[in-house]
PDB file of all heavy atoms in Angstrom:
ATOM      1  N   MET A 327       4.801  27.239 -29.936  1.00  0.00           N
ATOM      2  CA  MET A 327       4.376  26.830 -31.274  1.00  0.00           C
ATOM      3  C   MET A 327       4.487  25.322 -31.437  1.00  0.00           C
ATOM      4  O   MET A 327       3.595  24.676 -31.995  1.00  0.00           O
ATOM      5  CB  MET A 327       5.208  27.561 -32.334  1.00  0.00           C
ATOM      6  CG  MET A 327       4.809  29.007 -32.526  1.00  0.00           C
ATOM      7  SD  MET A 327       5.467  29.739 -34.045  1.00  0.00           S
ATOM      8  CE  MET A 327       7.196  29.923 -33.621  1.00  0.00           C
ATOM      9  N   VAL A 328       5.581  24.748 -30.937  1.00  0.00           N
ATOM     10  CA  VAL A 328       5.739  23.288 -30.999  1.00  0.00           C
ATOM     11  C   VAL A 328       4.628  22.608 -30.209  1.00  0.00           C
ATOM     12  O   VAL A 328       3.979  21.665 -30.676  1.00  0.00           O
ATOM     13  CB  VAL A 328       7.118  22.876 -30.450  1.00  0.00           C
ATOM     14  CG1 VAL A 328       7.203  21.353 -30.319  1.00  0.00           C
ATOM     15  CG2 VAL A 328       8.231  23.389 -31.355  1.00  0.00           C
ATOM     16  N   ALA A 329       4.384  23.096 -28.985  1.00  0.00           N
ATOM     17  CA  ALA A 329       3.356  22.505 -28.129  1.00  0.00           C
ATOM     18  C   ALA A 329       1.971  22.644 -28.733  1.00  0.00           C
ATOM     19  O   ALA A 329       1.093  21.809 -28.484  1.00  0.00           O
ATOM     20  CB  ALA A 329       3.399  23.154 -26.751  1.00  0.00           C
ATOM     21  N   SER A 330       1.760  23.686 -29.529  1.00  0.00           N
ATOM     22  CA  SER A 330       0.453  23.911 -30.139  1.00  0.00           C
ATOM     23  C   SER A 330       0.245  23.071 -31.400  1.00  0.00           C
ATOM     24  O   SER A 330      -0.849  23.082 -31.961  1.00  0.00           O
ATOM     25  CB  SER A 330       0.284  25.393 -30.485  1.00  0.00           C
ATOM     26  OG  SER A 330       0.389  26.195 -29.323  1.00  0.00           O
ATOM     27  N   GLY A 331       1.293  22.387 -31.842  1.00  0.00           N
ATOM     28  CA  GLY A 331       1.161  21.507 -32.991  1.00  0.00           C
ATOM     29  C   GLY A 331       1.550  22.106 -34.318  1.00  0.00           C
ATOM     30  O   GLY A 331       1.266  21.528 -35.371  1.00  0.00           O
ATOM     31  N   PHE A 332       2.221  23.267 -34.320  1.00  0.00           N
ATOM     32  CA  PHE A 332       2.687  23.854 -35.569  1.00  0.00           C
ATOM     33  C   PHE A 332       3.906  23.101 -36.092  1.00  0.00           C
ATOM     34  O   PHE A 332       4.678  22.514 -35.322  1.00  0.00           O
ATOM     35  CB  PHE A 332       3.051  25.326 -35.371  1.00  0.00           C
ATOM     36  CG  PHE A 332       1.872  26.249 -35.326  1.00  0.00           C
ATOM     37  CD1 PHE A 332       1.372  26.719 -34.115  1.00  0.00           C
ATOM     38  CD2 PHE A 332       1.245  26.658 -36.495  1.00  0.00           C
ATOM     39  CE1 PHE A 332       0.276  27.568 -34.071  1.00  0.00           C
ATOM     40  CE2 PHE A 332       0.155  27.517 -36.465  1.00  0.00           C
ATOM     41  CZ  PHE A 332      -0.335  27.965 -35.247  1.00  0.00           C
ATOM     42  N   ALA A 333       4.086  23.152 -37.401  1.00  0.00           N
ATOM     43  CA  ALA A 333       5.219  22.485 -38.041  1.00  0.00           C
ATOM     44  C   ALA A 333       6.286  23.502 -38.419  1.00  0.00           C
ATOM     45  O   ALA A 333       5.981  24.645 -38.768  1.00  0.00           O
ATOM     46  CB  ALA A 333       4.749  21.738 -39.287  1.00  0.00           C
ATOM     47  N   THR A 334       7.534  23.078 -38.356  1.00  0.00           N
ATOM     48  CA  THR A 334       8.721  23.862 -38.745  1.00  0.00           C
ATOM     49  C   THR A 334       8.685  25.293 -38.234  1.00  0.00           C
ATOM     50  O   THR A 334       8.801  26.238 -39.029  1.00  0.00           O
ATOM     51  CB  THR A 334       8.933  23.837 -40.273  1.00  0.00           C
ATOM     52  OG1 THR A 334       7.766  24.372 -40.926  1.00  0.00           O
ATOM     53  CG2 THR A 334       9.179  22.424 -40.762  1.00  0.00           C
ATOM     54  N   PRO A 335       8.510  25.493 -36.939  1.00  0.00           N
ATOM     55  CA  PRO A 335       8.502  26.865 -36.415  1.00  0.00           C
ATOM     56  C   PRO A 335       9.875  27.508 -36.519  1.00  0.00           C
ATOM     57  O   PRO A 335      10.906  26.851 -36.310  1.00  0.00           O
ATOM     58  CB  PRO A 335       8.083  26.685 -34.957  1.00  0.00           C
ATOM     59  CG  PRO A 335       8.509  25.300 -34.608  1.00  0.00           C
ATOM     60  CD  PRO A 335       8.341  24.491 -35.868  1.00  0.00           C
ATOM     61  N   VAL A 336       9.886  28.793 -36.836  1.00  0.00           N
ATOM     62  CA  VAL A 336      11.131  29.563 -36.949  1.00  0.00           C
ATOM     63  C   VAL A 336      10.967  30.845 -36.135  1.00  0.00           C
ATOM     64  O   VAL A 336       9.953  31.536 -36.258  1.00  0.00           O
ATOM     65  CB  VAL A 336      11.442  29.908 -38.422  1.00  0.00           C
ATOM     66  CG1 VAL A 336      12.676  30.807 -38.505  1.00  0.00           C
ATOM     67  CG2 VAL A 336      11.646  28.643 -39.237  1.00  0.00           C
ATOM     68  N   MET A 337      11.962  31.149 -35.307  1.00  0.00           N
ATOM     69  CA  MET A 337      11.978  32.395 -34.542  1.00  0.00           C
ATOM     70  C   MET A 337      13.289  33.116 -34.795  1.00  0.00           C
ATOM     71  O   MET A 337      14.344  32.480 -34.870  1.00  0.00           O
ATOM     72  CB  MET A 337      11.843  32.129 -33.042  1.00  0.00           C
ATOM     73  CG  MET A 337      10.538  31.520 -32.579  1.00  0.00           C
ATOM     74  SD  MET A 337       9.095  32.606 -32.717  1.00  0.00           S
ATOM     75  CE  MET A 337       9.618  34.037 -31.755  1.00  0.00           C
ATOM     76  N   ASP A 338      13.252  34.412 -34.950  1.00  0.00           N
ATOM     77  CA  ASP A 338      14.471  35.210 -34.977  1.00  0.00           C
ATOM     78  C   ASP A 338      14.176  36.544 -34.317  1.00  0.00           C
ATOM     79  O   ASP A 338      13.011  36.876 -34.062  1.00  0.00           O
ATOM     80  CB  ASP A 338      15.012  35.395 -36.401  1.00  0.00           C
ATOM     81  CG  ASP A 338      14.066  36.204 -37.274  1.00  0.00           C
ATOM     82  OD1 ASP A 338      12.995  35.697 -37.657  1.00  0.00           O
ATOM     83  OD2 ASP A 338      14.405  37.358 -37.579  1.00  0.00           O
ATOM     84  N   VAL A 339      15.216  37.295 -34.028  1.00  0.00           N
ATOM     85  CA  VAL A 339      15.036  38.511 -33.234  1.00  0.00           C
ATOM     86  C   VAL A 339      15.892  39.639 -33.790  1.00  0.00           C
ATOM     87  O   VAL A 339      16.980  39.404 -34.342  1.00  0.00           O
ATOM     88  CB  VAL A 339      15.384  38.245 -31.746  1.00  0.00           C
ATOM     89  CG1 VAL A 339      16.867  37.953 -31.573  1.00  0.00           C
ATOM     90  CG2 VAL A 339      14.946  39.393 -30.853  1.00  0.00           C
ATOM     91  N   GLU A 340      15.388  40.852 -33.686  1.00  0.00           N
ATOM     92  CA  GLU A 340      16.124  42.069 -34.059  1.00  0.00           C
ATOM     93  C   GLU A 340      15.965  43.087 -32.939  1.00  0.00           C
ATOM     94  O   GLU A 340      14.985  43.041 -32.181  1.00  0.00           O
ATOM     95  CB  GLU A 340      15.577  42.668 -35.352  1.00  0.00           C
ATOM     96  CG  GLU A 340      15.764  41.829 -36.582  1.00  0.00           C
ATOM     97  CD  GLU A 340      15.183  42.496 -37.816  1.00  0.00           C
ATOM     98  OE1 GLU A 340      14.165  43.201 -37.692  1.00  0.00           O
ATOM     99  OE2 GLU A 340      15.748  42.311 -38.901  1.00  0.00           O
ATOM    100  N   ARG A 341      16.903  43.995 -32.859  1.00  0.00           N
ATOM    101  CA  ARG A 341      16.794  45.098 -31.900  1.00  0.00           C
ATOM    102  C   ARG A 341      16.767  46.416 -32.664  1.00  0.00           C
ATOM    103  O   ARG A 341      17.668  46.702 -33.450  1.00  0.00           O
ATOM    104  CB  ARG A 341      17.960  45.061 -30.907  1.00  0.00           C
ATOM    105  CG  ARG A 341      17.817  43.953 -29.877  1.00  0.00           C
ATOM    106  CD  ARG A 341      19.044  43.817 -28.993  1.00  0.00           C
ATOM    107  NE  ARG A 341      18.841  42.812 -27.952  1.00  0.00           N
ATOM    108  CZ  ARG A 341      18.945  41.505 -28.146  1.00  0.00           C
ATOM    109  NH1 ARG A 341      19.268  41.047 -29.358  1.00  0.00           N
ATOM    110  NH2 ARG A 341      18.740  40.651 -27.161  1.00  0.00           N
ATOM    111  N   LEU A 342      15.732  47.179 -32.438  1.00  0.00           N
ATOM    112  CA  LEU A 342      15.581  48.490 -33.047  1.00  0.00           C
ATOM    113  C   LEU A 342      15.702  49.546 -31.960  1.00  0.00           C
ATOM    114  O   LEU A 342      15.193  49.355 -30.846  1.00  0.00           O
ATOM    115  CB  LEU A 342      14.221  48.618 -33.739  1.00  0.00           C
ATOM    116  CG  LEU A 342      13.901  47.573 -34.815  1.00  0.00           C
ATOM    117  CD1 LEU A 342      12.511  47.838 -35.392  1.00  0.00           C
ATOM    118  CD2 LEU A 342      14.947  47.579 -35.906  1.00  0.00           C
ATOM    119  N   THR A 343      16.365  50.643 -32.274  1.00  0.00           N
ATOM    120  CA  THR A 343      16.538  51.713 -31.294  1.00  0.00           C
ATOM    121  C   THR A 343      15.960  53.008 -31.845  1.00  0.00           C
ATOM    122  O   THR A 343      16.359  53.474 -32.920  1.00  0.00           O
ATOM    123  CB  THR A 343      18.027  51.915 -30.944  1.00  0.00           C
ATOM    124  OG1 THR A 343      18.555  50.695 -30.413  1.00  0.00           O
ATOM    125  CG2 THR A 343      18.178  53.015 -29.894  1.00  0.00           C
ATOM    126  N   LEU A 344      14.986  53.541 -31.117  1.00  0.00           N
ATOM    127  CA  LEU A 344      14.461  54.870 -31.425  1.00  0.00           C
ATOM    128  C   LEU A 344      15.146  55.870 -30.505  1.00  0.00           C
ATOM    129  O   LEU A 344      15.523  55.529 -29.388  1.00  0.00           O
ATOM    130  CB  LEU A 344      12.949  54.921 -31.201  1.00  0.00           C
ATOM    131  CG  LEU A 344      12.100  53.890 -31.953  1.00  0.00           C
ATOM    132  CD1 LEU A 344      10.619  54.109 -31.649  1.00  0.00           C
ATOM    133  CD2 LEU A 344      12.349  53.949 -33.449  1.00  0.00           C
TER     134      LEU A 344
END
Side-chain angles (χ1 to χ4, degrees):
M327 284 195 287
V328 172
S330 300
F332 282 100
T334 59
V336 175
M337 295 291 304
D338 65 288
V339 67
E340 294 180 327
R341 286 174 176 80
L342 303 180
T343 301
L344 304 182

